[in-house]
Amino acid sequence: MVCSLVSSANPLFSNVQNFRKNQSLSCLNKFVSCCYQQNLYPKTHLIKIIGPQKKVEQVSLPNNVKKKCFFEEKIGFSQMGSQQNMAILCGVGYWVQGFRCFPWLALNFHMADGLNMLPSTLQLVQYSGNLPMVAKPIYGILSDAVYIGGAHRIPYISIGVFLQVLAWGQLALIAAASEALPAIMACVLLSNVGASITEVAKDALVAEYGQRNRIPGLQSYAFMASAAGAILGNLIGGYFLLKTQQPKLMFLAFSALLALQLAVTSATREESLVLAQSLNYSAVREPITEIFRKQYSDLMIAVREESIARPLIWIFVSILAVPALSGSIFCYQSQCLNLDPSVIGMSKVIGHMILLSLTVLYDRFGKRVPMRKLISVVQITYAASLLLDLVLVKQLNLKMGIPNEWFALCFSGLAETIAIFKLLPFHVLFASLAPSGFEGSLMSFLASALCLSSIFSGFLGVALANFLGITSGDYSNLHVGILIQFIAALLPLGWLSYVPMAQPASEKERKRSVSKRTRKNRRVGKVVVDSFYSYRRKRESDFLR
């Protein structure tokens, strides 16, 4: 740029050679004034040394510079369009993902009240249905390596949404699918296959887009959209179920919402997101098995890295160590305390509102807190929140003058909320550590590990409930199970050293303590100073001739 401005084709410098010996300092003055007027360089201390500014006319840039500016402007507009498309695609996708609680609330009441399932059977259906999500690394590797029509994120999102439409549509329209336990399990498994494929592709898309456009913490926006969907889903679901007592209508309504998401996803072109094409996608394609083998091998190398393996082990064990008693507590609230579906739904609404607020606070302030300190506080809070179920089971709230409905409304979903929020810093961490081209593989591996740990936690809870003799007619030992949960939730604090000390966002902020404008000023100052002294040396050599 500087060479172009000082060229002989520029009208401002056409007579510089004729006045080299007499007006050299004036020429340098004009050069600096021109650079400042074109907003190429900000003011520096060198301007005061050279002399006062003079008004100069508009500089006509060379054609190659004009083309470069036009190209950069075109890229800027395309990036603005990609941000809008990304906001719509991920906003709708994660909102619908959070809204999945709407049909699941109806399915839980249908199995507990309509089919009179035991608490252990209900919990087995809940956690066994998550088995397809253990295979998320397979979906992630396919999403990273295998392209469909030149794209490798949006087609997989569409496939996953279509499978969910089939699953919930069958539960809504086919009577036999919602009455027999094997048919219900088949539909639940199909729904979770589609949900897992969709989640893998969305998580990979968010990680890849965030790295490509240098937008750290994009996962916070995804959590906000998911929490907003969960708030509305539980709010409408509890009221709708109380008024209609028709779970099938809720299945049908969610199927229609999934069809709308499928239309939005299919209308979005992956090229509009301005993502670089993977090196694995070329005119000469390798066999899928070979691509899969290479991708899996590279994924295992990445997972073995200490910066990834240690926090992954901690979050996996911290979930696995706590036996889940969600089925027993749900049946206790609905059958023993006779709480309305609207109360249980509203308790989850309040919980997700708290989750949304915590996500906003984390996005604004939480990234500055050391990650190890943040996770320790969250884990202790999670352990303490488990004791709130003990208060409800022992009816201590009645002694304090708080009805069961109000206590369950305010505190029943708090433990689940904190457990979900605990995952957010780890999603941000792994998204920042994901190698280029392996965003889907690594994020799906994380999701699979979390899902596997929650399944083991659920099965461990079923074993604990059977050991304590907790059934639909006997909840006398439920408080013992809650105390075991509390003690188990404190155990992961013993190996908290596996969690990194600093969060990736705060590390980047420390590296960027010097702003881009300051660095530019320094570079410009160095260029202008070097030009000034080299010009002065040349002028002195001319006088010595």
Side-chain angles (χ1 to χ4, degrees), residues 303-318:
V303 170
R304 292 190 187 101
E305 290 291 331
E306 185 176 351
S307 60
I308 296 177
R310 290 173 65 87
L312 181 61
I313 291 174
W314 189 91
I315 188 63
F316 179 85
V317 178
S318 68

Side-chain angles (χ1 to χ4, degrees), residues 314 371-381 493 496:
W314 189 91
M371 186 172 181
R372 189 177 299 175
K373 180 179 179 180
L374 176 65
I375 294 301
S376 63
V377 172
V378 171
Q379 187 67 19
I380 294 173
T381 307
L493 296 174
L496 200 62

Side-chain angles (χ1 to χ4, degrees), residues 435-487:
S436 180
F438 295 89
E439 296 87 358
S441 303
L442 185 58
M443 297 305 294
S444 62
F445 190 87
L446 169 64
S448 175
L450 297 178
C451 181
L452 187 62
S453 62
S454 65
I455 291 175
F456 284 153
S457 173
F459 290 161
L460 187 62
V462 171
L464 179 62
N466 290 330
F467 176 77
L468 296 176
I470 300 174
T471 61
S472 57
D474 185 9
Y475 296 98
S476 58
N477 290 328
L478 183 56
H479 68 282
V480 179
I482 296 174
L483 289 175
I484 294 175
Q485 279 186 316
F486 170 73
I487 297 173

